[in-house]
Amino acid sequence: MANVAPFVDGKLDLGTSWQEAQKESKSSSSLDKDAFLQLLVAQMKYQDPLEPTSNTEYISQLATFSELEEMQNLNANNELQRASALVGKEVIVKSVSDTGKITYESGQVDYVVFENGKAILGVKGGEYPLDDVDTVADADYLEAYNMATALIYAVSKLPSLLNLSTANKEAVQSIQQIYESMNDYQKSFISEDDQKLIEDYIKKMDELIEIEKNNQPNDGGSDGE
């Protein structure tokens, strides 16, 4: 005997399965195939015996389900193809932690795995969803980006120009060496203000070294006159 919904207080009780399926379909803007099947089975199981769903409606719903499944498979294939095309490419991925902190990681895409309908990229030992890719770049771009980022970070660790001393000589000279080795393209990744600040630090350190050198005592002894 077919399952039908009982009448309670003169009204058809569609049951919790049907209600949950309806809620799930309304709470999601895109109904996946599992939810669609759950909704369809609940509809068949708890249909109104006085007004049963026609075969034509079931066929229409099954056709809709087939279109949905085909679309999902197409989207999955497209995502896998997009991700596979990035293998060997240099990328910058953007990640957001549970606290809302944003971090960036750059490197080459070593491999791609496909899990739960999503493409996952392997970058520098970490795994990131395809949606986390912020920039796809060639090696020259990524090298310039990394150099500029590292240089600005190193400058931020220095004391202010007023508090600079020869104790910071090694750090400033290291920054100077990297900065002067950069070509114009690589320097374009550093703002004009930051470039001026770097040059000011280099100039200031040269002045401090010269002052320290001039203040050193002369150990040459007397000339005998």
Side-chain angles (χ1 to χ4, degrees), residues 153-204:
Y153 177 78
V155 172
S156 71
K157 292 298 183 180
L158 293 173
S160 66
L161 284 168
L162 291 176
N163 295 323
L164 193 68
S165 71
T166 53
N168 309 113
K169 180 173 66 174
E170 185 176 341
V172 174
Q173 288 179 339
S174 177
I175 290 172
Q176 180 180 3
Q177 183 178 7
I178 296 173
Y179 181 70
E180 292 179 349
S181 70
M182 297 173 72
N183 57 37
D184 291 340
Y185 173 71
Q186 292 167 340
K187 288 182 179 179
S188 69
F189 284 71
I190 306 174
S191 69
E192 292 183 1
D193 289 342
D194 285 332
Q195 288 190 45
K196 183 179 184 306
L197 182 60
I198 291 171
E199 291 167 359
D200 287 344
Y201 270 109
I202 294 172
K203 181 180 178 181
K204 179 70 173 181

Side-chain angles (χ1 to χ4, degrees), residues 83-103:
S84 298
L86 293 177
V87 174
K89 298 289 184 65
E90 301 289 339
V91 299
I92 300 174
V93 290
K94 175 182 177 181
S95 299
V96 182
S97 67
D98 295 337
T99 60
K101 181 181 178 181
I102 298 176
T103 57

Side-chain angles (χ1 to χ4, degrees), residues 220-225:
S222 173
D223 59 5
E225 294 181 0

